[in-house]
Amino acid sequence: MVSWSRIATRMRVPLGFVFAAAYLWFARPGWTWIAAGCVLIVAGVLVRAASSGHIRKNRELTTTGPYAYTRNPLYLGSVLIAAGFVIAARNPWIAVAALAMFATVYLPVIRAEEKYLSSLFPGYAEYAAHVPRLLPRLGAYRAAEAGAGYGSFSRELYLKHREYNAALGSALMIGALILKMVLVQH
């Protein structure tokens, strides 16, 4: 039997596109709301960029950079981006839908990924015991300070993971909100 986390993993991208279309339809953007949302969106894009420049997927347990503060900085960045777009939309129903999508799709995916990582890397349990799942800790995880992993940001990894797509997608969505605001809401 296929688990919900496997279904969620496969469906999160197509659901994201459906959610984006519904989002644009129901959003009621305003300049102040877009500006406020952009603060979180930019922060989320930067967190995702920094994270992607550290991770060597399936090759090593990354505990440096943003991974010294949270086990899932890519998802943290996504949450920040989503929160920014919720603010920019100015519609409480979008907030409810975003929370529901996070709870039903992203939390099971995160749990499945953590289960996989614990089977792949013997040191994962120790790392997980000291580094929170999503909300960052205040100080860096000591193994990161001791030089575990590669430690420094890699532009090559950032480009390999094509993380610039998060910035591009966010900019396009902000542009669509502005276009909707200018053309539809006047």
Side-chain angles (χ1 to χ4, degrees):
M1 175 151 228
V2 177
S3 70
W4 174 248
S5 60
R6 285 190 68 142
I7 294 169
T9 298
R10 292 180 186 207
M11 294 302 297
R12 69 183 167 173
V13 173
L15 282 174
F17 285 113
V18 170
F19 187 85
Y23 170 88
L24 281 174
W25 183 262
F26 291 107
R28 299 182 326 229
W31 289 113
T32 303
W33 297 99
I34 290 174
C38 280
V39 172
L40 289 177
I41 293 165
V42 168
V45 166
L46 291 174
V47 167
R48 286 190 59 88
S51 303
S52 71
H54 279 84
I55 190 169
R56 287 171 167 74
K57 295 178 181 179
N58 301 320
R59 290 183 41 212
E60 73 174 32
L61 176 60
T62 305
T63 61
T64 59
Y67 293 89
Y69 299 91
T70 174
R71 296 193 310 259
N72 294 286
L74 287 165
Y75 288 117
L76 174 61
S78 294
V79 166
L80 290 170
I81 292 168
F85 277 110
V86 164
I87 291 168
R90 207 173 54 123
N91 183 331
W93 292 109
I94 289 175
V96 170
L99 283 172
M101 190 162 168
F102 180 76
T104 60
V105 175
Y106 285 94
L107 278 180
V109 170
I110 289 170
R111 287 186 190 114
E113 287 179 4
E114 289 181 342
K115 186 177 179 181
Y116 171 74
L117 291 172
S118 68
S119 71
L120 189 61
F121 300 113
Y124 188 81
E126 168 73 15
Y127 170 67
H130 292 94
V131 180
R133 175 177 281 152
L134 197 62
L135 297 177
R137 59 185 275 149
L138 296 178
Y141 176 53
R142 278 188 306 240
E145 293 170 354
Y150 288 87
S152 62
F153 177 84
S154 165
R155 182 175 179 263
E156 291 76 27
L157 283 173
Y158 170 80
L159 294 172
K160 176 185 173 191
H161 298 311
R162 298 186 313 234
E163 194 53 45
Y164 49 82
N165 286 325
L168 180 60
S170 295
L172 289 172
M173 187 63 86
I174 290 296
L177 284 176
I178 291 170
L179 195 61
K180 177 178 183 175
M181 186 180 60
V182 170
L183 295 178
V184 177
Q185 294 185 345
H186 266 96

